[in-house]
Amino acid sequence: MLTDLLTADRQISLEADVCVVGAGAAGVALSRDLMQAGHDVCLLEAGGLDFESATQQLFAGANIGMQYYPLDHARLRFFGGTTNIWGGRCVPLDRIDFERRDWVPYSGWPISLDDLESWYQMAHQSLQLGEYEYSDKLWDSLGVTPLAFDDTEIATRFWRFDAMKERFNHQQGKDLIDARNVHVLLHANLTAIHTDETGQQVQAVTARSLQGHTASVQARHFVLACGAIENARQLLLNRAAMPAGLGNGHDQVGRYFMEHPHGRIAHISTRDPGRFWALYRKRYRAGQPPVAPALVAGANLQRSRAMLNSAATFKPQRDPRKGLAAGKKLYNNLKHGLDPTRSGRRLWHGLRHVQDWLQQHASTGLVSAVTRAARMQLYVIARAEQAPNPDSRVVLSEQCDALGCQRADLDWQLSELDKHSVRELALALGREFKRLGLGTLSTMDWLDDGSAEWPVDPTVGNHPIGGYHHMGTTRMSASPRHGVVDADCTVHGTHNLHIAGSSVFTTSGWANPTLTLLALSHRLARHIDQQLRR
């Protein structure tokens, strides 16, 4: 059933077994699992079925730390969430990402890769990603011989790409909208979480539209699936039972915000830069989703150099000091100058299709010829893990939104370990290039400037600052002293309030977060199902 709070009665009351707040990837996947298990679900979405600028403005906030994307541009507020403009990259975290690493403060999840493996496979299958294989074994099936890197230094993982556009939008979620045991409520902006006097049990939530219509939802279990910034904001806003906010008895809510910062880390002098791009480019196979190799720091290298787990890709490019090429300027202007409405997204998807077609059909010889003619050189671009940092955080603003709720500001902070890690990754690549006689590597000057700052270089790629990957802020921990949710994604001290999404990540790892957040959502759905059946 679908109800739009814009056109519903001014005040409505609903009841369900589970109330899920947020119809992005996590909320949709979890609601679907609970629906299929036979439970009554109320799914609240703050936006509508498509982009609306007034609703989107509710995401506005200030960047009070390092330079970052405008917060109302960094996530989308309508059914399907930010996956409506998602590039589709999927890959699991590595085993070491879950482990306690002595050289990484605040690392160590309360679960292991083994605890999540079956849920990864479930998420993988739901995205129709083909065979469950992300390791360097994929080279054989591609019929490609890679560079003979020492895998204790530089290992290979493969991204798989979800080929379906807007997999979590309302059209793909029609099964939820049509289900008898699911009530989808649009334009339902969460404005209050009502608990008992102790804060140990949520009794109901209140949602409101911008036009003043309200909905009250009572349920046995509640799930916040609003993204890392919004999940933290909602906990901080609700202070009736706990003065510092729900789940915040130890000042953990909002802390440890993480991204995957991007940066140019090295230049490689080599005879044929186009060859390396061609070898490690995105690849297409008949009847299979696209895949692309990523070079990551081997676990032994991470331990020996006390570094994080980051990834690198090759990019033949003209001198970055010349700035963006005309074609790239046009692409960026189109991408950022258009609202992500249905027509705007259609144009963006079309541009990406053209890029994919060019990658698919460009031969190695053609790429090499173009790079030589344009006097391009080979650079190494990092997609870095960020270390968990308690000073990198979401805080409440003094400014309020149109609903009268305090906005969220972001104080994004990187550390010396983040920069040290990508420098060590670059040096390891340099050692391998030298050992194999492929060329010589020089690190970029900014890696040695003695600060934790990263430059924002628009020539790095479509995402020059980071991957729009919001992680942390309600991190998973064994104890409430070190996080917000337990190993089952339940808020410490509030037994029927749960959190879905990448805000629960204890560490960020190198991998794009979507496959992991989906795996955790499937796992959480099973946990809630078991609780409801008791």
Side-chain angles (χ1 to χ4, degrees):
M1 180 178 180
L2 178 68
T3 300
D4 194 330
L5 202 54
L6 291 179
T7 57
D9 294 339
R10 292 193 63 84
Q11 292 184 337
I12 61 175
S13 297
L14 302 171
E15 293 184 6
D17 294 323
V18 185
C19 176
V20 179
V21 184
V28 167
L30 184 138
S31 296
R32 181 172 284 125
D33 286 356
L34 292 169
M35 172 195 73
Q36 292 172 349
H39 303 297
D40 292 332
V41 179
C42 182
L43 176 58
L44 305 183
E45 169 51 46
L49 299 181
D50 202 353
F51 175 86
E52 302 164 19
S53 58
T55 298
Q56 186 67 22
Q57 275 297 310
L58 295 172
F59 271 152
N63 284 305
I64 60 177
M66 291 179 54
Q67 182 177 348
Y68 194 62
Y69 307 112
L71 297 187
D72 56 333
H73 293 184
R75 53 231 161 101
L76 294 182
R77 199 177 180 100
F78 61 96
F79 200 106
T82 310
T83 57
N84 285 305
I85 55 170
W86 176 44
R89 289 177 187 260
C90 294
V91 65
L93 290 170
D94 288 343
R95 182 171 298 278
I96 193 173
D97 296 328
F98 293 94
E99 296 174 353
R100 172 76 176 96
R101 291 168 279 173
D102 293 340
W103 63 95
V104 183
Y106 311 105
S107 62
W109 294 53
I111 61 175
S112 69
L113 176 61
D114 292 335
D115 294 318
L116 208 54
E117 188 67 32
S118 63
W119 305 107
Y120 266 133
Q121 294 186 34
M122 183 175 180
H124 172 102
Q125 184 176 6
S126 73
L127 297 178
Q128 300 172 300
L129 293 173
E131 69 272 31
Y132 186 75
E133 183 59 72
Y134 292 88
S135 74
D136 57 5
K137 294 178 181 179
L138 265 177
W139 286 117
D140 292 336
S141 65
L142 293 172
V144 176
T145 302
L147 301 177
F149 291 134
D150 177 354
D151 61 9
T152 64
E153 291 265 301
I154 301 297
T156 303
R157 300 288 183 271
F158 276 86
W159 285 296
R160 288 178 172 271
F161 291 81
D162 181 7
M164 180 180 287
K165 304 294 188 293
E166 304 188 25
R167 181 177 290 275
F168 296 96
N169 69 12
H170 68 280
Q171 293 169 322
Q172 304 303 325
K174 195 172 184 299
D175 59 329
L176 291 170
I177 293 171
D178 292 344
R180 292 184 177 181
N181 59 330
V182 177
H183 196 148
V184 177
L185 191 60
L186 300 177
H187 296 104
N189 299 280
L190 183 64
T191 55
I193 301 173
H194 308 284
T195 70
D196 60 11
E197 293 182 355
T198 66
Q200 294 179 7
Q201 179 172 333
V202 177
Q203 298 171 329
V205 297
T206 298
R208 187 154 66 94
S209 73
L210 285 171
Q211 288 68 29
H213 296 197
T214 61
S216 176
V217 183
Q218 294 181 316
R220 294 170 63 186
H221 288 266
F222 297 82
V223 183
L224 295 181
C226 311
I229 296 176
E230 190 69 6
N231 283 346
R233 183 176 85 115
Q234 290 298 336
L235 293 179
L236 292 171
L237 283 172
N238 286 276
R239 303 185 288 264
M242 302 181 69
L246 285 175
N248 201 30
H250 296 275
D251 191 26
Q252 294 293 297
V253 173
R255 292 190 182 273
Y256 304 98
F257 175 88
M258 295 172 288
E259 243 282 14
H260 288 134
H262 295 173
R264 184 188 314 278
I265 62 174
H267 168 259
I268 296 176
S269 297
T270 184
R271 294 178 180 176
D272 187 1
R275 169 196 171 198
F276 298 102
W277 175 86
L279 184 59
Y280 286 87
R281 73 176 187 263
K282 191 174 181 180
R283 295 185 176 275
Y284 302 80
R285 301 171 295 166
Q288 292 286 334
V291 298
L295 300 172
V296 301
N300 289 347
L301 178 68
Q302 292 179 55
R303 293 187 177 97
S304 65
R305 301 288 176 168
M307 60 181 287
L308 298 163
N309 187 9
S310 299
T313 55
F314 296 130
K315 185 175 184 180
Q317 189 183 46
R318 64 181 189 168
D319 190 329
R321 291 173 294 185
K322 296 180 180 179
L324 289 173
K328 181 59 70 174
K329 286 181 181 179
L330 175 62
Y331 174 83
N332 286 345
N333 288 339
L334 286 172
K335 179 181 178 182
H336 298 291
L338 293 173
D339 284 336
T341 58
R342 185 175 289 107
S343 59
R345 297 195 307 277
R346 188 178 297 116
L347 176 59
W348 182 76
H349 291 317
L351 289 170
R352 290 186 65 88
H353 178 74
V354 171
Q355 288 181 324
D356 286 347
W357 187 92
L358 290 172
Q359 284 199 49
Q360 184 176 359
H361 292 89
S363 67
T364 301
L366 176 61
V367 172
S368 295
V370 170
T371 55
R372 284 194 296 269
R375 297 183 180 180
M376 292 183 178
Q377 302 178 59
L378 187 65
Y379 294 91
V380 181
I381 308 300
R383 298 166 177 262
E385 176 180 7
Q386 178 183 349
N389 179 357
D391 295 326
S392 182
R393 63 189 303 191
V394 171
V395 297
L396 292 180
S397 170
E398 295 181 358
Q399 304 296 319
C400 291
D401 63 22
L403 295 168
C405 300
Q406 286 175 273
R407 295 187 182 274
D409 291 342
L410 176 62
D411 186 1
W412 183 37
Q413 299 292 336
L414 294 174
S415 66
E416 293 179 2
L417 179 57
D418 304 315
K419 185 178 286 189
H420 160 78
S421 298
V422 293
R423 184 177 187 276
E424 289 295 336
L425 179 61
L427 292 174
L429 275 167
R431 291 191 296 271
E432 287 300 288
F433 263 73
K434 182 177 180 180
R435 180 179 67 84
L436 297 172
L438 301 172
T440 58
L441 178 146
S442 56
T443 58
M444 307 308 290
D445 292 341
W446 67 272
L447 291 174
D448 299 300
D449 65 9
S451 75
E453 297 291 316
W454 287 49
V456 176
D457 177 358
T459 68
V460 162
N462 296 334
H463 303 157
I465 298 175
Y468 292 90
H469 301 162
H470 300 172
M471 299 164 284
T473 74
T474 66
R475 72 197 308 251
M476 187 185 293
S477 64
S479 163
R481 294 183 177 276
H482 304 113
V484 179
V485 301
D486 63 17
D488 292 317
C489 295
T490 302
V491 174
H492 289 296
T494 308
H495 68 85
N496 68 336
L497 178 60
H498 318 275
I499 297 183
S502 52
S503 68
V504 306
F505 286 18
T506 306
T507 53
S508 61
W510 75 275
N512 299 60
T514 305
L515 192 68
T516 301
L517 73 84
L518 286 173
L520 287 166
S521 298
H522 292 309
R523 185 172 179 267
L524 174 58
R526 194 275 304 268
H527 173 71
I528 294 174
D529 172 54
Q530 291 177 334
Q531 295 292 308
L532 289 170
R533 294 182 186 279
R534 288 184 176 177

